Amino acid sequence: MNAPHLTCPDPSDRPDLWPWSARRHDGVLHIGGLLATDIAHQWGTPIYVLDEGDLEGRALTWVSAMAEEFWDGYGMGGGSAYFAAKAFMSAGVIHTVTAAGMGVDTASLGELTCALEAGADPDRIGLHGNNKSDDEIRLAISAGERGIGRIVIDAPAEVERIATIARQLGRRARVMIRVTTGVHAGGHDFIATAHEDQKFGLSLVSGAAYRVARAVCETEELDFVGLHSHIGSQIFDLEAFTESASRLMGLAKQLAAEGIECREVDLGGGYAITYTAADPVPPTQKEVARSLATAVREACARHNLKVPHISIEPGRSTIGPTTVTLYRVGTVKRVPIDEGERLYVSVDGGMSDNIRPALYNAKYCVTLANRAPTGPTALSRIVGKHCESGDIIIADTLLPADVAPGDLLAVPATGAYGHAMSSNYNMLTRPGTLAVRDGEARWLIYPETVSDLLDRDATLNPQ
């Protein structure tokens, strides 16, 4: 058995695990000026609790770091940050991050529609996807006065598809080319996205990216904005990002020799956050931006290129640490194992509100939220209520030996992909997301009810 993760250190001991407002007072966890016990009592569990001030602060910090490190005064082309909406999408979140100066990166008709309905500037929206529908492309091109700022081309066939729809709409679509640079990084094979043998992007090594960029420039209905790369997710080591940036600038040099200017280069996202006390402290936004600026500056000097505008797409690192999931403990039972015994602590959610442990073997930590975790500890496993043996939130942890039904557990760093990847497995209802700030609370996403699920049943609700 692997060594168990300890229960989460208190916010004062390891603040990078927690929202900025998280505190303990008289043993009870506070978030956004509200007691976890009061939140659970008034709004129920399971529940995602998002510190709205934290989200605003992280968005502002990303925007500031990119603007400062790529400031024109140093001969740079400027820098910006786009919120990767796949991490968590809601109109309230879009209001917060765009007010802070971020753009929005979308990857579906739903995400794109939500961003537009929430009032995001179309010029600051991007659309990704390896299999974009005509409806997605049509909305992207028709939005606003000029369409969205960039549609990221992922396959050669998209050149003609996007051009055809642009022609039908009487518009010119702004596009970027997604490049697989060959730099492989990330915590799991499924989230490492810049190696050759995977579904995203166009190969740098084979010349596919170069050929598609030339085809775009030869197509009247398309406006070539530049190059895009995303190398993976949950990456602590900045060397992979700087190497990918250097390779992209090499392609920009190749295109420049053909008279094709890359006005913008997007270096993607994937910047790590802390999930457990065993994780290292990740690089700060300033450290990330400075590392990228140094790499781009050096590559452009080497290739005698004008520095383009540089953008990035932090999603997880913008919203992940802002949110804590609160669960209510139900059944607690002792199960004999070779090393002695383990407490199985069942909560009122599970893999339907956090699929990442089952999908990626992702690690999280947990703490008691309704009282201070004192006294002797016991080897514990936090499990959900689904009819699935793999419904495990935290496989091995230490909890107070007296953990009991009715206790509240808090799992931090669930803002990214918790709600976004949630499901109705076993017809469980998905939790709501509650924004908290200065002692006030409001729903960002309402919790589902059983009636919501039954409303979609055609037999029960014939039309």
Side-chain angles (χ1 to χ4, degrees):
M1 183 187 69
N2 295 328
H5 296 288
L6 298 177
T7 51
C8 292
D10 277 349
S12 58
D13 298 325
R14 191 71 193 266
D16 54 315
L17 276 168
W18 296 94
W20 289 352
S21 67
R23 304 284 187 275
R24 273 197 191 273
H25 183 66
D26 292 334
V28 180
L29 185 67
H30 287 225
I31 306 170
L34 294 171
L35 292 167
T37 47
D38 289 346
I39 292 171
H41 176 74
Q42 183 168 352
W43 288 284
T45 59
I47 187 172
Y48 305 112
V49 183
L50 184 150
D51 180 343
E52 201 163 24
D54 187 351
L55 175 61
E56 180 182 279
R58 291 178 192 277
L60 283 167
T61 304
W62 272 121
V63 170
S64 298
M66 290 298 293
E68 290 171 6
E69 293 302 323
F70 289 91
W71 181 44
D72 284 333
Y74 288 118
M76 305 294 281
S80 58
Y82 284 69
F83 174 65
K86 67 177 183 177
F88 180 94
M89 182 51 128
S90 82
V93 165
I94 297 304
H95 288 166
T96 299
V97 298
T98 56
M102 296 187 88
V104 184
D105 165 46
T106 68
S108 72
L109 184 62
E111 288 180 359
L112 178 57
T113 302
C114 185
L116 292 168
E117 290 289 326
D121 180 358
D123 284 336
R124 303 292 314 287
I125 296 176
L127 175 66
H128 280 280
N130 65 297
N131 188 28
K132 303 176 190 71
S133 70
D134 286 354
D135 286 343
E136 290 165 349
I137 296 170
R138 189 171 291 107
L139 178 59
I141 297 173
S142 63
E145 295 182 0
R146 297 194 300 157
I148 66 171
R150 56 202 197 181
I151 302 172
V152 183
I153 289 179
D154 201 271
E158 286 191 338
V159 174
E160 182 54 35
R161 285 187 62 222
I162 296 171
T164 297
I165 294 173
R167 192 178 307 119
Q168 292 168 352
L169 295 172
R171 290 198 165 186
R172 196 161 184 247
R174 291 174 281 179
V175 301
M176 300 183 84
I177 307 298
R178 178 155 178 170
V179 182
T180 52
T181 61
V183 178
H184 182 124
H188 188 283
D189 278 349
F190 290 168
I191 54 177
T193 56
H195 56 94
E196 298 292 330
D197 189 13
Q198 49 91 26
K199 72 176 187 175
F200 292 110
L202 294 151
S203 170
L204 175 65
V205 174
S206 72
Y210 168 76
R211 292 190 295 273
V212 170
R214 287 199 59 179
V216 167
C217 293
E218 294 167 359
T219 305
E220 183 179 354
E221 294 83 6
L222 302 182
D223 176 16
F224 179 65
V225 174
L227 303 174
H228 180 282
S229 175
H230 181 72
I231 63 173
S233 295
Q234 189 57 5
I235 304 167
F236 285 92
D237 184 3
L238 296 180
E239 185 177 350
F241 290 108
T242 59
E243 175 60 25
S244 183
S246 179
R247 295 187 188 187
L248 280 178
M249 298 319 301
L251 176 57
K253 171 63 173 179
Q254 186 181 7
L255 293 170
E258 300 285 335
I260 300 171
E261 180 187 8
C262 291
R263 306 195 302 271
E264 181 171 351
V265 172
D266 191 298
L267 300 175
Y271 312 105
I273 66 170
T274 305
Y275 284 101
T276 78
D279 290 337
V281 176
T284 66
Q285 293 95 330
K286 187 78 169 179
E287 289 168 340
V288 170
R290 180 158 295 175
S291 177
L292 296 178
T294 300
V296 169
R297 187 183 297 117
E298 291 176 350
C300 287
R302 187 165 62 251
H303 295 300
N304 193 28
L305 283 174
K306 177 183 175 182
V307 177
H309 184 91
I310 300 295
S311 53
I312 59 172
E313 297 169 351
R316 180 200 313 259
S317 55
T318 303
I319 201 165
T322 70
T323 301
V324 171
T325 303
L326 295 180
Y327 298 104
R328 183 78 69 183
V329 174
T331 302
V332 178
K333 65 180 177 182
R334 300 179 184 276
V335 176
I337 59 175
D338 291 342
E339 295 85 355
E341 66 177 18
R342 176 187 281 125
L343 286 182
Y344 271 73
V345 181
S346 298
V347 297
D348 51 357
M351 63 193 302
S352 58
D353 59 72
N354 189 352
I355 190 62
R356 295 185 69 252
L359 189 62
Y360 300 141
N361 195 30
K363 306 298 183 186
Y364 287 83
C365 67
V366 64
T367 191
L368 278 177
N370 59 306
R371 57 189 174 96
T374 59
T377 60
L379 180 64
S380 304
R381 176 164 291 174
I382 314 303
V383 297
K385 59 181 293 173
H386 295 282
C387 295
E388 191 77 38
S389 59
D391 181 22
I392 299 170
I393 300 171
I394 302 171
D396 294 301
T397 189
L398 296 175
L399 281 180
D402 64 350
V403 64
D407 275 331
L408 278 181
L409 299 184
V411 176
T414 56
Y417 307 110
H419 174 268
M421 299 177 77
S422 61
S423 74
N424 296 121
Y425 184 43
N426 285 148
M427 290 196 76
L428 261 68
T429 54
R430 290 178 293 178
T433 299
L434 189 74
V436 294
R437 186 174 195 163
D438 298 329
E440 302 291 331
R442 67 186 181 98
W443 287 116
L444 291 176
I445 301 289
Y446 292 121
E448 284 183 328
T449 67
V450 173
S451 293
D452 292 330
L453 304 186
L454 298 183
D455 282 347
R456 299 184 64 222
D457 190 304
T459 301
L460 296 176
N461 298 280
Q463 295 182 356

